[in-house]
Structures are given as C-alpha cells and as structure tokens.
Amino acid sequence: MELRQLRYFVAVAEELHFTRAAARLNLAQSALSSQIRQLEAEVGGPLLVRSTRRVMLTPGGAALLEDARELLALADGSLDRVRALCRGEAGRLVLGTLGPAPGALLAALLGRLSSSHPDVRVEVRAFDFTEAFAGLLEQHADLAFVYMPLEHRAIEFVPLLSEPRTVVLPAGHRLARRKRLRPRNLAGETFITQPPEVQEPWRDYWALAPELGERPRISPHYGDKLEDWLRLIANGEGVDTAPAIISRYYAWPELAYVPLVDAAPATLALARRRDGDHPLADEVLALVLEIVHHLDLPGTTVVAPRP
C-alpha cells in the first residue's frame, strides 16, 4: 500500500465521484480507477460501490477512510517539519562558548536569529576546556565561540576579534596592584593551566611559554571548567593569563586582573565542523561577520574577514 494510493482513495471517498476526484488530483480518470483497483486488490475486498449514478463507500472503505486521513496527516506533517529543518526554519541551534564571548556580539546574534527564524530554538552552552573539539565533533554544539590558538583538521576556525590579555592573580598577590605586567615579570610564577587533554600549544600560549622562551613552572592542579580554574587562582595556587574580557564577567573580590603588555593578544574565533550539515551554519557565520564589523567594543580589534 502506497501513500499515493491512499491519497487517491481519500479524494474519491470525499468527492464520491471519480471525475471530480480525478480533476482534483490533476490525474486521468483511467489512471485513478486503476490505482483504486490495485488498492482494493491489496486489501482483499471492495472499498467503493460504483454505479452509473453515484459512488458509495463500503464498510471497509469507511474504515479505511478514517485511518487514511490520519496516516496522510501524519506523513504530511512529518514532511513539512523536515522541509522546515532543511531550510533552517525550525528545530534547534546550539552555540558553544569556550570562555566568555562578548555579550554585545551574542545579544545581537540571538536577536537577529530570533527575528529571521522564530521557529528555531537557539541555545548557548558553556564548554569545559576539554570540549574545545569534542563539543563540536560529538555534535553537542553546531558552532562555537573559542579562543585561539587551536587547530583541528575537521574544524574550521574563523578569527573574529582580537583584544589584549590580562594576568589573573590572587587578590593578595605581590603583583596584584601593578598597573601593567610584562611576561618577564611572571618568569618565576607558577601557572594554573588546563587539563592534559587540551592541546599543548594552547596551554603554552596562555602560560606565556612563547614570550618567556620556555615553559614556566606549572601547577599539578588544573581546572576542567573555567570557574574551577579561576577558583584555583583565587585560592593562591598560581596565576595565568586570559582574554581581557574575563575581568568584566568574573569580577570576584578574591581575584585581581592586571593588563598584560608585550604579549600576543587573545583572538576570538567562530568554530564549526567542516562537514557540518546544520542548515543555518552558513547564515550564522555570515551574521557574525556582519555583526562584528559593526560592533563598537573598546579595546578590541576586528580581524574577521568581510562578510
């Protein structure tokens, strides 16, 4: 039994007239009659009583009509939902964040998506440090805001904004009251880094290994999550560097933030799977590129390509 045959049968049953049903279906009457006969052969009995004057439903036909309407409605509804998903007009879009993305950027993006795709549920999910790759590759998120340097052959990274870094210290640290710090001022410090699963170049970058010419002393303790990492620093276990934006989102009294100079900046990027199939991925990237070129964020430099 095919959905097409059920659709033909419903048309005849509702019209109770083969000519009108054929016209409604834009089908030749002979073809319609042939399909109904095939359907009756499959169910094993007549569904319609035909005469020269009228068409009537048999008891079997009446029962099938009710079920056929439900089946067709279910099939049509499913097809509509899938088509909407393929057009990006329904479903869910998950944005991951590894570290705090600028609120103005996120707010503008969410507002634009809400207006253009009201049927799409957009969720923002904070990544653990170990989820920089896994969050995307295991499809816990469709796109993600991350901080460079990161590399993965299955993931595309599009740089967006560059900003200075800050040194994160315990509030009582001897350097906490300095107006600015240089890498050489931190040469003897113990750094709080991220789990071993995180790429080594990424951990070295934030621990200033390129600027110091060697890897500094690393604490045996590390934070899987951003707040766990900050808590270790607040407890006096060590120091680290971070994007300057973090000082605006985590102004804890136990922490001090001192601007870092003479060091490579922090670069925010949008990451997505190279083989990602979310229908909105390209549109979200284009929106983000458009938004960052119109944002006025003090202290940041736009490094994104033009949309």
Side-chain angles (χ1 to χ4, degrees):
M1 182 182 299
E2 300 178 6
L3 287 177
R4 178 185 56 176
Q5 293 174 327
L6 289 180
R7 204 175 301 278
Y8 293 169
F9 167 72
V10 168
V12 176
E14 290 178 346
E15 297 291 343
L16 293 177
H17 196 284
F18 272 83
T19 302
R20 289 197 298 268
R24 167 175 156 181
L25 295 166
N26 194 26
L27 188 69
Q29 185 173 333
S30 59
L32 175 59
S33 298
S34 175
Q35 289 295 322
I36 297 300
R37 284 195 299 270
Q38 289 180 32
L39 180 59
E40 289 176 323
E42 187 166 350
V43 301
L47 299 171
L48 300 161
V49 177
R50 306 160 179 83
S51 71
T52 55
R53 293 189 177 184
R54 61 177 179 170
V55 176
M56 295 179 59
L57 288 169
T58 65
L64 180 60
L65 176 61
E66 183 176 347
D67 291 342
R69 283 171 170 160
E70 291 183 7
L71 285 170
L72 291 171
L74 181 62
D76 290 343
S78 177
L79 184 59
D80 287 343
R81 287 191 295 274
V82 171
R83 283 172 173 164
L85 279 169
C86 291
R87 294 192 302 264
E89 295 175 356
R92 185 176 72 145
L93 174 74
V94 182
L95 300 173
T97 61
L98 180 60
L105 171 56
L106 269 179
L109 177 60
L110 295 176
R112 297 280 289 275
L113 287 173
S114 177
S115 297
S116 59
H117 298 281
D119 294 332
V120 176
R121 175 180 173 81
V122 182
E123 300 176 9
V124 179
R125 177 184 176 186
F127 279 174
D128 297 347
F129 288 120
T130 56
E131 291 184 296
F133 300 142
L136 287 169
L137 298 178
E138 296 175 10
Q139 300 188 27
H140 301 309
D142 302 297
L143 302 99
F145 292 100
V146 299
Y147 280 90
M148 304 301 286
L150 291 169
E151 290 185 3
H152 197 288
R153 63 185 180 186
I155 298 176
E156 175 189 10
F157 299 93
V158 181
L160 301 174
L161 297 168
S162 176
E163 64 176 317
R165 277 192 272 174
T166 187
V167 182
V168 190
L169 308 125
H173 194 281
R174 61 183 179 84
L175 299 174
R177 296 185 180 277
R178 298 279 290 269
K179 290 185 178 181
R180 64 185 63 85
L181 290 169
R182 289 178 167 80
R184 65 173 181 267
N185 301 133
L186 303 167
E189 298 293 329
T190 298
F191 279 73
I192 304 295
T193 187
Q194 292 73 41
E197 297 93 325
V198 178
Q199 283 187 345
E200 189 173 274
W202 199 80
R203 289 181 284 136
D204 285 347
Y205 183 86
W206 300 102
L208 295 175
E211 286 82 3
L212 295 173
E214 62 181 354
R215 186 172 296 143
R217 185 166 59 245
I218 301 297
S219 169
H221 307 294
Y222 52 80
D224 292 329
K225 299 177 175 62
L226 179 62
E227 293 196 2
D228 293 342
W229 167 75
L230 287 172
R231 183 60 62 189
L232 287 169
I233 297 175
N235 290 343
E237 297 281 354
V239 305
D240 206 356
T241 72
I245 190 176
I246 202 169
S247 64
R248 301 196 293 273
Y249 285 85
Y250 293 91
W252 295 359
E254 308 98 316
L255 292 173
Y257 297 97
V258 180
L260 178 66
V261 297
D262 298 338
T267 300
L268 178 70
L270 184 65
R272 63 174 182 171
R273 297 183 300 277
R274 293 190 186 277
D275 62 351
D277 57 358
H278 196 286
L280 280 182
D282 289 338
E283 183 173 347
V284 171
L285 175 57
L287 280 174
V288 169
L289 294 178
E290 180 182 343
I291 290 168
V292 296
H293 279 284
H294 291 86
L295 279 180
D296 182 17
L297 294 175
T300 65
T301 302
V302 176
V303 294
R306 285 283 177 182

